[in-house]
Structures are given as structure tokens and as C-alpha cells.
Amino acid sequence: MRDLKLRYVIQLLSNLETQSGKDAKAMVEAQQRVQKALSDTEGKVGRLEKVLLRVAGAGTASAERQAMVLARLAVRYDQVASAAERYAKAAAKAAPQVMAGGAAGAYAVGAMTQRPMDYSTRLAQMSNTAFAQRDVAGRIYGKQTLDAAIRAAVRVGGGSRDSAAEALDALIASGTMSPQQAITLLPRLMKGSTASGATPTELGMIGVRSAQSFRIPMEQMDQVLNEAMAAGQAGGFELRDMAKWLPQTMAAAGTAGMGGMGDFRRLLASMQAGVTTAGTKDEAGNNLVNLLAKINSRDTANDFSKQGIDLTGRLAKARGQGVNALDAFVDLVDEVASRDKAFVEAKRKLAAAGTAGEKADAANSVLQLLQGKAVGQVIQDRQALMALVAELGQRDYIKSVMQRSRADTGAINTAFGVMSQETGFAKQQAANELAFAQDTAFKAVEPVFKGIFESGSEVARMFPNLAAATVGLTGAFATAAAALGGGAVGGLLAGRGAAAAAGAAAGAGAGAAGAS
């Protein structure tokens, strides 16, 4: 391994002459002196460093700086080989079935460097936001807190490490809750995600918006998610559908004065009813948002005023009696429209309809009657009218959904219990533990890699004309991480030992330098 290392340095020094365009004599002498050092069979790093530093004395200041950088990198070469071997042993112990695969080299490149580095970077960014009041040391320590929270969340609730990190990042960035509240909520989000199929970030946004728009305290987030799950199971608008539409629905309802768990439950039931008059789940969600926007609209109040109805006053009176804005608005429309016997009959048919076709026909009849009466003159938006039709014709159904969502306090736990028995769940849990093992293993060698990358940057800054040689240099001394396709690390993982891996790295690096 020592000989290979020295030969690699010779290759680099040989190319310095061509790529620097000057100091030719010094470079030739450098090559001769390093070749002479090959007669030392021990090939110790200390001897190599001394030889390189003597070479510096034979050339110009530029050659001296080049030799000093190469000497430092040569010393670090041994550190990298040793670190790579330690990492390979840890990774192989964590996932022997992966290491035995034919793609071990490619796997190791990503596992050893990119994935752990990306994850660490994300933790650093999250810590900067979560612990903004801390100094540098405090924020770096905060990374450990966030990492521990992510590990605990996926072990309790399933899902992937990356999806948990994304959800925690979104909660912290929302500014709605403290870091500790976000950490406490995360396991619940992971469990809800496993149970429902919605992403934990989507469920997290339900929690964020319920706090922001509906003034629901964080202590009730379990209830929020559980009632949403139960309502989705009672109707056709499931939790994964709600995850997309609830945030904007609550925002629209909030402007109409709605808020709290009771009104939240009311919206959940409206979503289930809305499916009966809509072609798709997205259409049902959009219809409800439009209707809620109309309730508090100045234009709607003015149009009702033209019909001799004080909408604002009626809504205020209802609120004083404990009736939410949506129910009050639907009651008012029902009162006005029920003066028409044809409307009353059409509404009855809609409530009694059994099949999807019957519901569609009855809903269309109600819609046509509403459009032709005073209501159609104050609500011209067809989407809002479709949601209104669902409200008018499905009032008993809405009440039943509200009752079920309130009573079923174990909806998420039951669904999670089913999903956690799946092989796919166990596979994801194993993948999480492997990712954690990779992170732990990389931490042990991270200072070495960081030093190598910094040295490569130093060479590039000092000698821009030597960029091609620098690529080979950095690649070899970083055990071919990413740059050389994992051949050197693959040698370690395939059982050829540290010497073979180091040889592969040196050979590849020399080839890169020689081709430059």
C-alpha cells in the first residue's frame, strides 16, 4: 500500500510540470527524489513527508506550497484508509444482507457520504430555526435533540426517517408551535400517516392550521387527527383527502368566525356530504371552500340585502345563540327556498336517494331550483351552490357523521394496528435502522473526510491550473467517495481489505491525474 501511495504521488508530481507550465526543473528533481525514496521498503509516512518537504527546497515558492499540501494529504491518506475500514465494518454489521449484494460499492458511496451528510445538513438548518436564541455550540447540540426526536417518532409511528425529518422541519418553520410542541406532535403524525396513507407533513399542516385558523390548542391535536380519521371512515372523504383540503377549508371558515373543535367536527361532516354532489374528492373540497368564502363575502351580504334580508344581522344573531356561521347560513337559505313546494319535494328526494345515480339526479333538481330562485341571485357561483345543495339535502347524514367522529376515539390506533402488521411496515422500520447506523458510523470518520475535502479545496484555490490533478488527488484520498464510483470502498465491503481498497483508490487517482 505504501508503494502504491508513493507511486501515486509521483504521478501527481509528474503532472505538475505540464499543468503548471513552469518550474519544470524543480518538478523533474521532485520526481527523481521521490523515486529514490521508493528504495525505502518501509515507506513510512514520516519519511514521505520529509522527502516532499526537501523537494520544496529545490523549487520555487509555488513548488514549496505544492509539496507542503501534498505532504499533508499523504499523511491523511492513512487516516482515510483506516476510517473507511472502520466504517465498512460498522455498516456491514448493521446490514450484512446489503453488503453481500453485487452493488455494495455503489451502496457504500451513497451510504458513507451523501445520505449522512444531507441528513446532517437538514438537522443543522432545522436547529438554526428551532433554537435561534442559542449560540453556535447550542445549535449544534440542538441537532442531537432533533435527531433523537426523529428516531423516536419513526420507531413509534412508522414511516421513513426522511419523511419524519420533513414533517418536523415544516412544523418548526410554521412558527405556530415551540420546538418541544413540534417534537411531541411528531410521533402522532407518523402514526396517523401510517394509518391513513397521508404524508406526515400533510397531517402536520392540519395541526398547524387548526391552531392558526381554528384556535384549537395543541393539547387537542390527538383529537383533531383522530376525529378526522373517524369522519373519513364514516364517509367517502378520507383523511388523505382531508390533508389536502382541510387547511384552506379552515382558513375560509375562520374568516366567517368559525373555530374550535365543534366547528372543526362540522367541517369534517360537510366534506363527507359534499362528495354526494361532486364528481371527485377535489371537486367536493373546492365546492366547500367556495361556499365558506361566500358566507362572509360583502357581495353576498349586498345581494341578500336586495332581497330584503339582513345577512350580517342574521349571522350575528345566530352566533350569539351558539350557532356556527355555516349552519346559520344554511338555515337562512333553507328558510327562503322552502317557500317553494317544488324545492321542498326535491330536497326530500335528495335526502332519501340511495344510489349514486339517484343522488346525482336529485341534487341536480335542487340545484336548478336554487338557481332559478332568489338564492341563485345572491350565490351565482356554481361550485358554492353544489356545496350548498349537499348541506341542504344531507342534514341528517351530516349529524350522523359528527356523532361518529366524536364517539370513535380510537380510529387512528385501530388503523395503525392493522398497518403495522404488514411486511412493508417491517421493511421500512429496518431501512430506518440502517439509515441510523449509517449516520452513527459516518460520525466516527466525518472529521477525516472533512479534512480531506478541505485540503482538496485548498489545492484548487492555490493552484487553479492544476484542477485536473486535484480531482484525482481528492478522489483518491477520500476513498473514491462519489468521484470514483465506489471502487475503493467496494473493495473494503467485498472483503478484500484495507490495502486493496487503498490500492484501488491510489490507482484510480493516479489514472485521473495521468489523464489530465
Side-chain angles (χ1 to χ4, degrees), residues 47-65:
R47 172 64 62 84
L48 174 63
E49 184 173 7
K50 291 179 181 179
V51 170
L52 288 171
L53 290 175
R54 285 202 302 272
V55 168
T60 63
S62 176
E64 178 181 359
R65 289 195 296 167

Side-chain angles (χ1 to χ4, degrees), residues 152-175:
V154 297
R155 285 167 177 161
V156 169
S160 71
R161 179 197 69 175
D162 292 336
S163 66
E166 180 181 345
L168 183 58
D169 195 1
L171 292 178
I172 292 172
S174 72

